[in-house]
Amino acid sequence: MLWSGWGDPAKAAELPQSVRRLLSELLGVRAPAVPPASFGEVRLGPVALSPLVLADLRKVVGAEHLRFDDDARIRHTRGKSTPDLLRMRAGDASDAPDAVLLPGSHEEVLEVLRVCARHRVAVVPFGGGTSVVGGLVASRQGFAGVIALDLARLDRLLSVDAESMVVDVEPGLRAPQAEQLLAGHGLTLGHFPQSYEYATLGGFAAARSSGQASAGYGRFDDMVVGVTVATPRGTMEFGRAPKSAAGPDLRQLVLGSEGAFGVITSLRLRARSAPAEKVYEGWRFPTFRAGTAALRRLAQDGPMPTVLRLSDETETMVGLAKPGEIGGVQADAGCLAVVGYEGTGEDVAHRRERTAGALSALGGVYLGPEPGEAWAHGRYSAPYLRDALLAAGATVETLETACFWSGLPRLYDAVRLVLSVALSPAGEAGQANPPLVMCHLSHLYPTGASLYFTVVTAQAGDPLEQWATAKRAVNEAVVLAGGTISHHHGVGRDHLAAYAAEIGELGVEILRAVKERLDPAGILNPGVLIP
């Protein structure tokens, strides 16, 4: 993973000059006055951990699995949100951990937590490093130092129960490797979020991830039927059966906990048969409202495709409905829906026929396979485009939410309005350069859906404060409009205040009580999740 951007550096590409001109004319984007810092220019603080602490940690994981060199520390600094990347491009690694540990077993994780609790060292569980909500920045106040607990060595497929269609895996297994291993057994998880190429299975569980094929396969937390967690107080193991009436489901304490309650060391997951056929296609609707009504009908009455997403007029026009592209779509393109089917040949054919009939009756126009195939080909490339836009002088960021169908129009309008106002400074001669706000509907349920926004604007003199101001305003707007502060990105640090408003004072007290019981010294990812 590129230390100051996303993914494979070999895949990075500059924006064409024509797109740069468009950004300048439309948004007032200008090239940054200062070039990004090189790796050697990154500012790192000294290692705060004492020789005694380092010696105790070395005894647990071995000298070769305890690193505090510059390369390891920088590559474990923060996640991949736009503010994270802006800080790294400015050479600011002030949030870097003092050391990186790579444990090789559940027992080693337990012992690391015991050592860190004894010495009051903060611990940040680290998977793929793809958090976009400040989930990998621990508070240092009151601690002797910070370590990143990298779970990359816990990367095995432990067992396959073909009869029950469940698999046991370790948390550091990256999604592509997991799919490759499961394919050997004729299975798939069907979990393909935009972070798929780099994220880990443990990270999916800790953040309640939702993949782009969630319409067919469900969210990742739907797939977790068992979990083992290491805490400073000992081991937790939950999930003896698919479902149970034996009290509250304590797996839910772990799912979405972002490492604040413990470190996931193994997962038992529901698997599916690997699809024999995959078909992706495009449909056009005249308006976002019309397309939303059509997709709601499918979600409530069926049939349900495997992939189902709808871009609004702006996202369709700009071209981001097909990730990796920008420009080149006609202004009268309406709204593009991508519809995908995965399964047996017979199942795919049956669902395509029924879906086509339903969408046509609801005003959809079939566009053929090209838009769907273009989306599938570029489905993981949008973060690379973000890097190129940042390099050109634009601030670009995403945010997501969800609510019930009846509230979606209000939520959609509220977020777009607040972003437009918060990011519309006066330009030259009093002219305004309003931001470009795009949205798509995805992750559909009978009762509601998710809205995923992308916003592009010209960088201000202080782009960090520019986005922080907008983010605070939009978080408040989401809560007031009846949406959840996050559908699948998580809480991290960026959503703490809004999360507290969403769950209320008693909810906050419950979280704090759980934290105190499992992590009395408060060493696990301090400052994240718990308001």
Side-chain angles (χ1 to χ4, degrees), residues 89-279:
R89 291 172 65 86
D92 174 10
S94 56
D95 294 319
D98 297 297
V100 178
L101 273 71
L102 293 96
S105 68
H106 172 81
E107 290 70 26
E108 287 189 2
V109 174
L110 277 176
E111 188 57 31
V112 167
L113 296 183
R114 293 189 187 106
V115 169
C116 289
R118 185 165 67 247
H119 291 292
R120 290 201 57 79
V121 174
V123 178
V124 180
F126 194 98
T130 61
S131 170
V132 292
V133 291
L136 299 175
V137 181
S139 171
R140 284 183 172 269
Q141 186 173 0
F143 295 98
V146 176
I147 67 163
L149 193 67
D150 192 324
L151 302 170
R153 292 176 63 210
L154 298 178
D155 63 350
R156 295 177 297 163
L157 172 62
L158 298 172
S159 67
V160 175
D161 180 347
E163 183 177 3
S164 303
M165 296 284 281
V166 297
V167 298
D168 291 313
V169 299
E170 289 184 317
L173 188 59
R174 294 187 185 272
Q177 285 68 48
E179 286 296 321
Q180 184 178 16
L181 291 170
L182 291 176
H185 299 271
L187 300 173
T188 182
L189 294 176
H191 192 70
F192 306 104
Q194 197 167 77
S195 61
Y196 168 78
E197 294 175 305
Y198 297 95
T200 62
L201 303 188
F204 290 154
R208 286 192 186 273
S209 174
S210 192
Q212 295 171 337
S214 66
Y217 292 105
R219 294 162 53 95
F220 196 80
D221 48 1
D222 298 329
M223 303 175 192
V224 178
V225 295
V227 62
T228 301
V229 184
T231 81
R233 293 285 308 280
T235 299
M236 298 190 297
E237 292 185 84
F238 304 128
R240 301 173 65 92
K243 297 291 181 181
S244 172
D249 186 353
L250 294 180
R251 287 173 295 192
Q252 301 304 320
L253 279 178
V254 179
L255 300 173
S257 63
E258 302 181 36
F261 295 152
V263 180
I264 296 169
T265 56
S266 70
L267 291 159
R268 176 163 290 177
L269 304 174
R270 178 205 73 202
R272 299 283 183 86
S273 295
E277 187 171 345
K278 298 181 181 181
V279 176

Side-chain angles (χ1 to χ4, degrees), residues 145-507:
V146 176
I147 67 163
L149 193 67
D150 192 324
L151 302 170
R153 292 176 63 210
L154 298 178
D155 63 350
R156 295 177 297 163
L157 172 62
L158 298 172
S159 67
V160 175
D161 180 347
E163 183 177 3
S164 303
M165 296 284 281
V166 297
V167 298
D168 291 313
V169 299
E170 289 184 317
L173 188 59
R174 294 187 185 272
Q177 285 68 48
E179 286 296 321
Q180 184 178 16
L181 291 170
L182 291 176
H185 299 271
L187 300 173
T188 182
L189 294 176
H191 192 70
F192 306 104
Q194 197 167 77
S195 61
Y196 168 78
E197 294 175 305
Y198 297 95
T200 62
L201 303 188
F204 290 154
R208 286 192 186 273
S209 174
S210 192
Q212 295 171 337
S214 66
Y217 292 105
R219 294 162 53 95
F220 196 80
D221 48 1
D222 298 329
M223 303 175 192
V224 178
V225 295
V227 62
T228 301
V229 184
T231 81
R233 293 285 308 280
T235 299
M236 298 190 297
E237 292 185 84
F238 304 128
R240 301 173 65 92
K243 297 291 181 181
S244 172
D249 186 353
L250 294 180
R251 287 173 295 192
Q252 301 304 320
L253 279 178
V254 179
L255 300 173
S257 63
E258 302 181 36
F261 295 152
V263 180
I264 296 169
T265 56
S266 70
L267 291 159
R268 176 163 290 177
L269 304 174
R270 178 205 73 202
R272 299 283 183 86
S273 295
E277 187 171 345
K278 298 181 181 181
V279 176
Y280 308 103
E281 52 197 23
W283 287 77
R284 178 188 178 277
F285 289 90
T287 65
F288 193 54
R289 185 176 293 272
T292 298
L295 268 59
R296 175 178 63 83
R297 182 73 62 84
L298 290 183
Q300 292 177 338
D301 300 334
M304 196 61 166
T306 308
V307 173
L308 192 56
R309 53 196 289 129
L310 173 74
S311 293
D312 70 0
E313 291 88 346
T314 306
E315 187 171 279
T316 300
M317 177 184 68
V318 171
L320 288 186
K322 296 184 287 187
E325 299 183 15
I326 186 166
V329 177
Q330 296 299 316
D332 61 351
C335 294
L336 174 65
V338 171
V339 185
Y341 311 87
E342 299 182 9
T344 65
E346 180 181 0
D347 171 61
V348 167
H350 179 63
R351 282 190 292 153
R352 283 186 73 192
E353 181 180 4
R354 292 182 59 210
T355 301
L359 293 180
S360 295
L362 294 165
V365 175
Y366 182 61
L367 301 179
E370 190 278 331
E373 291 173 356
W375 169 83
H377 177 74
R379 65 196 296 183
Y380 307 125
S381 62
Y384 292 102
L385 176 59
R386 178 183 61 167
D387 286 357
L389 288 166
L390 287 175
T395 291
V396 53
E397 186 58 298
T398 62
L399 59 97
E400 42 76 38
T401 179
C403 74
F404 299 113
W405 288 111
S406 59
L408 273 178
R410 178 188 180 196
L411 181 61
Y412 173 75
D413 290 342
V415 171
R416 293 177 73 246
L417 176 62
V418 168
L419 285 173
S420 295
V421 171
L423 293 170
S424 293
E428 297 179 7
Q431 297 298 311
N433 296 112
L436 192 63
V437 182
M438 298 163 278
C439 181
H440 66 255
L441 179 80
S442 58
H443 309 297
L444 279 69
Y445 311 95
T447 52
S450 169
L451 293 173
Y452 189 101
F453 294 88
T454 302
V455 57
V456 184
T457 191
Q459 286 183 18
D462 185 349
L464 286 170
E465 181 55 33
Q466 174 192 30
W467 178 247
T469 299
K471 182 67 171 174
R472 284 192 296 269
V474 80
N475 284 354
E476 293 176 4
V478 165
V479 174
L480 289 173
T484 179
I485 194 58
S486 176
H487 174 265
H488 56 269
H489 282 170
V491 176
R493 299 170 70 92
D494 296 353
H495 295 151
L496 276 178
Y499 180 50
E502 183 172 329
I503 64 175
E505 292 183 9
L506 188 55

